[in-house]
């Protein structure tokens, strides 16, 4: 499959359907793990936004702030000022403004590309290019956490990026109960449709089995993309999380909390 590096085509994305690629993807969760084991008395939820479109601020993090909550934004710096299928993407000044309000800025590669195609050298260059661009836009805080673009991950990626970040997040929808792979954090989509019902089920499940659930969203607007949701749906998610009594923390604080509840 040719590697398409153009930003406009960054999202609609199809992972390789070859048998070898499918088998490799099934093995990855068991490879290059960095497990943390913990026991929580109370659930923890982390809201995260990927890429990210500006509507994630207006209809997303602004609403979280009303609850006294903060989020993590996984930013691909190359998407700055781009208009794509998620709508208008962030502007440079959004990043320090979000940080000033207590949100976390995290890594997501510069060009929002499938990193599994890159050599180790090219991969590190891509990650550093993003960090440098985020700094140039005024990001001051630590850039300690990362999300794989498209959730595309390989054993080499896990191994290489483990040395660069405290956590690496994918897109497998599940709650971390008693254990998390820091090289492959799971995350549930806040996307309209059937996936939202499943995410709601995971949120409900926190009431009977406290764990750490991370959520990820893109555009939040009246006519969302396939990977987005409406403001009403996002509000419903907030209400559901509130009803669980969960601690709501960005990834950097959630990991500190989880590690302070470590059991070995
Ligand atoms: Zn993304």
């Amino acid at each position: 499959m040719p590697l398409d590096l153009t930003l406009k085509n960054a999202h609609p994305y199809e992972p390789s359907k070859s048998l070898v690629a499918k088998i490799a993807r099934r093995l990855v969760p068991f490879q290059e793990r960095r497990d943390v084991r913990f026991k929580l008395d109370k659930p923890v939820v982390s809201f995260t936004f990927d890429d990210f479109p500006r509507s994630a601020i207006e209809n997303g993090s602004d609403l979280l702030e009303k609850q006294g909550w903060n989020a993590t934004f996984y930013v691909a710096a190359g998407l700055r000022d781009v208009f794509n299928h998620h709508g208008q993407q962030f502007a440079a000044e959004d990043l320090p403004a979000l940080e000033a309000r207590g949100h976390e800025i995290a890594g997501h590669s510069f060009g929002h590309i499938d990193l599994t195609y890159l050599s180790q050298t090219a991969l590190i260059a891509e990650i550093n290019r993003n960090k440098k661009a985020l700094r140039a836009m005024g990001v001051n805080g630590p850039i300690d956490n990362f999300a794989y673009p498209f959730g595309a991950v390989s054993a080499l990626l896990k191994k290489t990026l483990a040395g660069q970040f405290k956590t690496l997040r994918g897109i497998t929808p599940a709650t971390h109960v008693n254990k998390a792979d820091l090289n492959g954090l799971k995350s549930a989509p806040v996307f309209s449709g059937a996936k939202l019902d499943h995410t709601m089920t995971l949120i409900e499940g926190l009431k009977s089995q406290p764990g750490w659930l991370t959520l990820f969203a893109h555009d939040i607007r009246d006519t969302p993309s396939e990977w987005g949701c409406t403001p009403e749906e996002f509000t419903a998610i907030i209400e559901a999380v509130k009803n669980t009594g969960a601690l709501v923390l960005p990834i950097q604080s959630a990991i500190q909390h989880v590690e302070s509840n470590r059991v070995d």
Side-chain angles (χ1 to χ4, degrees):
M1 194 175 99
L3 172 58
D4 187 350
L5 290 166
T6 59
L7 295 171
K8 281 191 181 132
N9 293 325
H11 258 293
Y13 164 82
E14 284 285 327
S16 168
K17 286 193 170 77
S18 80
L19 184 61
V20 172
K22 279 184 184 165
I23 292 170
R25 277 200 296 276
R26 292 216 178 142
L27 290 174
V28 171
F30 305 100
Q31 297 167 324
E32 297 297 338
R33 292 183 64 99
R34 191 162 39 122
D35 282 337
V36 55
R37 287 168 197 282
F38 54 88
K39 183 146 176 39
L40 300 175
D41 296 330
K42 201 177 170 180
V44 177
V45 173
S46 299
F47 282 88
T48 74
F49 299 101
D50 290 6
D51 299 2
F52 66 90
R54 281 199 120 172
S55 62
I57 304 177
E58 292 146 21
N59 299 323
S61 60
D62 284 358
L63 275 66
L64 298 180
E65 285 174 29
K66 288 190 180 144
Q67 305 293 332
W69 298 344
N70 288 121
T72 297
F73 289 79
Y74 291 103
V75 188
L79 291 174
R80 166 189 168 180
D81 295 329
V82 165
F83 186 90
N84 65 13
H85 56 287
H86 291 303
Q88 184 62 49
Q89 294 281 328
F90 71 97
E93 62 265 28
D94 293 332
L95 306 184
L98 285 167
E99 271 196 329
R101 298 202 296 274
H103 302 289
E104 172 187 11
I105 304 300
H108 197 41
S109 83
F110 181 86
H112 204 287
I113 51 175
D114 180 341
L115 300 175
T116 60
Y117 290 91
L118 299 189
S119 69
Q120 204 166 17
T121 313
L123 171 61
I124 291 180
E126 171 72 16
I127 297 306
N128 289 337
R129 186 181 178 199
N130 195 44
K131 281 188 181 172
K132 217 171 146 186
L134 295 178
R135 292 285 177 230
M137 287 186 245
V139 173
N140 273 316
I143 303 167
D144 278 347
N145 298 296
F146 178 86
Y148 300 108
F150 315 107
V153 56
S154 66
L156 178 68
L157 259 185
K158 288 177 84 175
K159 187 180 177 175
T160 307
L161 296 183
Q164 307 272 325
F165 297 100
K166 285 185 181 164
T167 69
L168 308 169
R169 202 216 71 205
I171 54 168
T172 301
T175 303
H176 304 101
V177 179
N178 301 331
K179 188 169 88 173
D181 174 11
L182 300 184
N183 292 343
L185 289 184
K186 295 167 178 172
S187 199
V190 184
F191 300 176
S192 295
K195 286 183 175 170
L196 199 72
D197 298 339
H198 182 246
T199 296
M200 278 293 191
T201 309
L202 293 175
I203 294 171
E204 284 299 309
L206 294 171
K207 292 178 183 169
S208 51
Q209 194 171 39
W212 176 28
L213 176 63
T214 86
L215 304 170
F216 74 104
H218 292 104
D219 47 311
I220 306 173
R221 49 187 176 154
D222 292 335
T223 48
S225 72
E226 202 181 313
W227 303 271
C229 72
T230 65
E232 292 71 25
E233 286 167 330
F234 195 76
T235 302
I237 290 280
I238 290 179
E239 286 306 312
V241 169
K242 220 159 89 179
N243 287 336
T244 67
L247 267 176
V248 176
L249 301 170
I251 300 290
Q252 61 185 4
S253 315
I255 195 64
Q256 278 174 14
H257 179 78
V258 159
E259 287 190 324
S260 69
N261 287 280
R262 212 175 174 128
V263 287
D264 285 308

